[in-house]
Amino acid sequence: MTETAAEGHTVDRSDKLVILASSVGTVIEWYDFYLYGSLAAIITAQFFSGVNETTGFIFALMAFAAGFAVRPFGAIFFGRLGDLWGRKNTFLVTMLLMGLSTFVVGLLPSYAAIGVAAPVILVLMRLVQGLALGGEYGGAATYVAEHAPPGKRGFYTSFIQITATAGLMLSLLVILGVRTWLGEDAFKEWGWRIPFLVSILLLGVSLWIRLKLAESPAFQRMKAEGKGSTTPLKDSFGKWPNLKLVLVALFGLAAGQAVVWYTGQFYALFFLEKTLKVEPALANVLVAVALLLATPFFVFWGWLSDKVGRKPIILAGCLIAALTYFPLFHALTGAAKPQLAAATASAPVTVVADPADCAFQFDPVGKTVFDSSCDVAKSFLAKAGVTYETVAAPAGSVAEVRIGDVVLPGHTGDKAARAEWEKGLGAALTAAGYPAKADSALVNKPLVVGILFLLVFYVTMVYGPIAAALVEMFPTRVRYTSMSLPYHIGNGWFGGFLPTTAFAIVAATGNIYAGLWYPIVVALLTVIVGAVLVKDRKDVDIHE
């Protein structure tokens, strides 16, 4: 298509309705996908109760990440279908798979009822969700971009970028509403299923919306002219010029965008609930308010990228995030759990132990018993959300815990003695000012929302322009396939594994902030690669 023809394309009322319908349908897919992450703590208790608490939570995070792990494979499979059969037909299939798998999770019996079959089926449903979402985003972004006129692609695709945050916010609001309606005890026992079951109604609405969509004009024109690819996988990844663009898109844009997205939205929520022990309902409200306040900036950055380019905005967001994560999360601790910040400063905790006595406390099969004096001490402190340092002791010595000037000998007895020892350690921590949970009355809610807003603001910078940036890198005949893979490797692997990776780093180091090194390093890598290799293509004709 010539540039003159592209400029002649205008977006009429029906086009705008199609773009809106596409965005609404995508919101519902994200809602389904993120319900699991929003309920990670309850999922742990329901489906991973057969292992110890720390391992169970890591398992729950890994099951959450399983959905992300297969997203690139969904991108390859459905991307190929989208380039061969069209965007609309692919939409319908991905939506059906997502809605049905989410509904099944709402009906799934717990570990207590059917044993190991429960987590196995749960993981299978997460895999189906991941495959479906892997085919969804690339189609939605391509579809909307191909409807938008030149000079407005960043603005129009920014509405697709809102959908991920809107889906997360919708999941939080539905969870909060059901929690408030039923009460915390009933919600933990059975009420958590309701948000999953509601998805069957949303599925009906989404299918109705998707059936009304017309095919992308660029795809129709390409097919009419006989220019479509018959081998989109080979043309995308089997030829170096296009494969090189895929790799540049991954490391120079998508990877950094992904870790900033998941740090600002999911890891911040995990940090509030699991590390700082903020009441889950309150944490959900605070995150939802921050999301609501920041959401308009997705559109702002998308609009601005039409003026100044995609590259400078995305890389600036990655750089600013990497430079400010540590101070922001320290400030979040001070605002949400001021007693912890004060206690850490006045009575720092140290585990003095023989290094040979300390294991890496992650058991993939849930069978290992961590009962050495060092492991018992570190396990308790990690679950309590207490930062500690480890100091080497002479070989063969029993570990001890130092809380300021107080020294507690390590545990060396049986299971009953361990419970008494942990009770004593908990009392010592309380006496030193370490609270077991965050006091909701002492949470500085405006300050917490302000910090969370900044974290999400970074998300809007890197995510608002990303769809337009990726769409513009690839030709129409392989666009769906080519842009989907780097996006979903970035967001599915670099981003999706962030909570699991960060939590494991924290457990290994004893520093509640150490997990932030993961997104910081990846974001800085993207800044370097993007600055050198990414070319801004905001004015390119994407209808060729």
Side-chain angles (χ1 to χ4, degrees), residues 63 158 177 184 229 237 256 343 353 375 409 440 463 483 485 505:
S158 67
E184 190 65 22
S229 171
F237 314 122
D375 290 342
S440 297
Y463 202 57
M483 74 156 288
L485 187 64
I505 293 172

Side-chain angles (χ1 to χ4, degrees), residues 262-286:
Y262 287 98
T263 301
Q265 299 192 149
F266 266 107
Y267 190 64
L269 179 60
F270 287 150
F271 189 81
L272 282 175
E273 287 192 23
K274 191 65 180 178
T275 302
L276 301 184
K277 311 292 184 183
V278 174
E279 188 68 28
L282 176 58
N284 286 349
V285 169
L286 296 174

Side-chain angles (χ1 to χ4, degrees), residues 396-474:
S397 60
V398 175
E400 62 182 26
V401 179
R402 299 176 181 175
I403 308 172
D405 296 328
V406 177
V407 178
L408 282 78
H411 162 72
T412 56
D414 56 17
K415 186 174 181 179
R418 174 174 175 171
E420 284 299 314
W421 182 87
E422 289 180 339
K423 183 177 179 180
L425 177 55
L429 289 169
T430 301
Y434 288 92
K437 294 183 179 180
D439 185 341
S440 297
L442 296 180
V443 174
N444 186 334
K445 299 174 184 63
L447 182 55
V448 170
V449 169
I451 296 167
L452 293 174
F453 169 82
L454 278 178
L455 293 173
V456 182
F457 184 78
Y458 299 159
V459 173
T460 66
M461 288 186 70
V462 301
Y463 202 57
I466 194 73
L470 294 175
V471 164
E472 291 161 351
M473 293 183 74
F474 304 101

Side-chain angles (χ1 to χ4, degrees), residues 86-428:
R87 316 332 187 188
K88 175 184 174 179
N89 293 332
T90 309
F91 276 162
L92 296 175
V93 175
T94 59
M95 174 57 69
L96 188 63
L97 288 174
M98 178 66 78
L100 292 178
S101 58
T102 303
F103 183 69
V104 168
V105 173
L107 297 175
L108 185 60
S110 67
Y111 183 93
I114 61 174
V116 72
V120 169
I121 298 172
L122 176 70
V123 172
L124 286 176
M125 292 302 99
R126 287 296 297 169
L127 295 176
V128 172
Q129 286 184 325
L131 289 171
L133 194 61
E136 166 66 20
Y137 175 84
T142 299
Y143 181 81
V144 172
E146 290 175 350
H147 273 81
K152 292 188 177 180
R153 283 193 295 268
F155 175 70
Y156 277 90
T157 57
S158 67
F159 289 96
I160 289 294
Q161 302 312 100
I162 288 177
T163 61
T165 296
L168 172 59
M169 185 164 59
L170 179 62
S171 73
L172 294 177
L173 292 176
V174 171
I175 290 168
L176 178 63
V178 176
R179 245 187 175 124
T180 304
W181 174 42
L182 295 178
E184 190 65 22
D185 291 340
F187 182 81
K188 287 182 177 179
E189 183 177 353
W190 61 270
W192 63 271
R193 298 180 181 275
I194 294 177
F196 287 93
L197 298 176
V198 166
S199 68
I200 200 69
L201 302 177
L202 299 178
L203 172 62
V205 173
S206 298
L207 289 175
W208 176 74
I209 291 173
R210 291 284 166 88
L211 285 169
K212 290 181 173 292
L213 296 178
E215 187 51 82
S216 155
F219 182 83
Q220 289 177 323
R221 196 156 39 242
M222 178 192 70
K223 283 296 187 182
E225 295 172 356
K227 295 181 179 179
S229 171
T230 57
T231 56
L233 294 181
K234 179 181 179 181
D235 291 343
S236 293
F237 314 122
K239 297 179 179 179
W240 174 244
N242 202 80
L243 178 59
K244 178 182 177 182
L245 288 178
V246 170
L247 295 174
V248 170
L250 171 59
F251 294 104
L253 292 173
Q257 166 264 303
V259 295
V260 172
W261 201 100
Y262 287 98
T263 301
Q265 299 192 149
F266 266 107
Y267 190 64
L269 179 60
F270 287 150
F271 189 81
L272 282 175
E273 287 192 23
K274 191 65 180 178
T275 302
L276 301 184
K277 311 292 184 183
V278 174
E279 188 68 28
L282 176 58
N284 286 349
V285 169
L286 296 174
V287 171
V289 171
L291 292 175
L292 186 63
L293 292 174
T295 292
F297 288 95
F298 285 106
V299 178
F300 170 76
W301 292 116
W303 168 82
L304 186 62
S305 75
D306 286 327
K307 313 298 180 184
V308 303
R310 330 297 184 199
K311 173 180 172 177
I313 295 173
I314 294 172
L315 298 188
C318 288
L319 180 60
I320 296 170
L323 295 177
T324 59
Y325 274 158
F326 277 120
L328 283 177
F329 274 82
H330 276 87
L332 189 60
T333 299
K337 200 174 183 182
Q339 315 99 303
L340 177 61
T344 301
S346 64
V349 177
T350 304
V351 176
V352 182
D354 174 8
D357 196 34
C358 305
F360 182 72
Q361 295 191 51
F362 174 55
D363 174 20
V365 296
K367 298 297 183 181
T368 303
V369 178
F370 299 106
D371 57 0
S372 71
S373 58
C374 176
D375 290 342
V376 169
K378 287 189 172 184
S379 176
F380 183 89
L381 294 171
K383 287 187 290 185
V386 173
T387 289
Y388 59 89
E389 292 186 1
T390 303
V391 175
S397 60
V398 175
E400 62 182 26
V401 179
R402 299 176 181 175
I403 308 172
D405 296 328
V406 177
V407 178
L408 282 78
H411 162 72
T412 56
D414 56 17
K415 186 174 181 179
R418 174 174 175 171
E420 284 299 314
W421 182 87
E422 289 180 339
K423 183 177 179 180
L425 177 55

